[in-house]
């Protein structure tokens, strides 16, 4: 499927990956967090 050079390139991307994030200073309202946490409960199986 992949030759050794391609595999090595994929591994390098995975291992050297870095996240650069900036966060807003505003806190998340508790209602929003509650709604996010309730969503999976409401999902039918």
């Amino acid at each position: 499927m992949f030759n050794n050079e391609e595999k090595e390139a994929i591994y390098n991307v995975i291992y050297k990956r870095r996240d650069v994030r900036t966060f807003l200073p505003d806190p998340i309202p508790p209602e929003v967090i509650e709604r996010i946490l309730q969503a999976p409960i409401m999902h039918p199986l």
Side-chain angles (χ1 to χ4, degrees):
M1 184 179 226
F2 294 107
N3 64 37
N4 285 340
E5 186 177 331
E6 292 168 329
K7 288 179 188 177
E8 191 63 31
I10 292 169
Y11 291 137
N12 281 335
V13 168
I14 292 170
Y15 292 131
K16 294 179 180 180
R17 181 179 150 247
R18 298 288 179 255
D19 286 337
V20 178
R21 300 179 186 184
T22 54
F23 297 97
L24 298 174
D26 308 326
I28 300 171
E31 306 82 42
V32 173
I33 295 173
E34 184 65 31
R35 187 170 181 195
I36 292 169
L37 293 175
Q38 288 295 321
I41 297 170
M42 304 309 271
H43 183 331
L45 296 174

